[in-house]
Amino acid sequence: MANELQNRNNFFDNLMNMRNWMNDDFFSNLTPVADHMKTDVTEDDKGYTVKIDMPGFDKKDIHISYANNILTVTGHRDTFDDDADKEGNVLHSERRYGQMSRQYRLPDVNRKDVKAQYNDGVLTISLPKLNEKDDDENRIDID
């Protein structure tokens, strides 16, 4: 029985190694994959910088909002027509369309001064932090 279990484990190990060897995304529909919107977030005393890979998006199809300390970035891409093969004999396709979105918790941002740029498929968002005096207008002292 133990030998039988060991053989079964070897079978699954071999299956996974074969998957890696073939570089196939066989399990991608079964598990959530974060292959889209790869992000770098940096912070210094003055604010945050968020860089998001969004290749193939049109600038008009990217929407950014900041509310309740949450930065939300959403991109939408319509279907695409590929006339490379008019017979529909596609062997492999990884290009995706539809909507994707990510959220980032970034507290104490001065919403009025947030700036965004989109160049060469990379969205860069600069989010300056609130100054103490900016934050004071929401503060209520207790007598």
Side-chain angles (χ1 to χ4, degrees):
M1 178 78 168
N3 196 19
E4 192 174 301
L5 288 175
Q6 184 178 11
N7 289 339
R8 178 175 276 177
N9 286 340
N10 286 341
F11 171 75
F12 287 114
D13 290 343
N14 290 338
L15 180 64
M16 292 306 292
N17 288 334
M18 193 163 104
R19 176 183 171 262
N20 292 336
W21 178 74
M22 292 171 49
N23 195 20
D24 189 10
D25 227 0
F26 180 76
F27 294 104
S28 66
N29 293 331
L30 302 176
T31 58
V33 178
D35 275 347
H36 62 283
M37 298 179 75
K38 297 280 189 183
T39 305
D40 294 334
V41 180
T42 58
E43 178 185 13
D44 61 23
D45 294 340
K46 296 181 181 182
Y48 306 96
T49 301
V50 179
K51 291 185 179 184
I52 307 170
D53 285 347
M54 298 184 72
F57 282 89
D58 205 346
K59 184 166 71 170
K60 68 178 176 46
D61 295 327
I62 299 173
H63 305 282
I64 305 165
S65 65
Y66 181 84
N68 299 320
N69 294 331
I70 303 288
L71 172 69
T72 302
V73 179
T74 303
H76 178 79
R77 186 172 17 200
D78 290 328
T79 60
F80 47 84
D81 295 323
D82 190 356
D83 296 331
D85 186 6
K86 296 181 193 278
E87 301 297 319
N89 299 320
V90 177
L91 295 178
H92 185 76
S93 179
E94 293 180 344
R95 297 185 302 163
R96 298 180 190 261
Y97 59 91
Q99 181 172 311
M100 54 185 81
S101 182
R102 288 207 51 194
Q103 294 184 319
Y104 312 87
R105 180 173 299 281
L106 303 169
D108 303 323
V109 168
N110 185 349
R111 291 177 22 175
K112 297 174 192 170
D113 293 331
V114 173
K115 303 227 183 291
Q117 295 179 333
Y118 182 65
N119 294 316
D120 298 327
V122 178
L123 178 66
T124 302
I125 308 168
S126 300
L127 301 107
K129 290 182 181 178
L130 287 170
N131 296 330
E132 279 187 40
K133 66 179 183 177
D134 294 337
D135 196 27
D136 285 345
E137 60 191 51
N138 292 329
R139 182 180 169 96
I140 300 171
D141 291 325
I142 301 173
D143 293 331

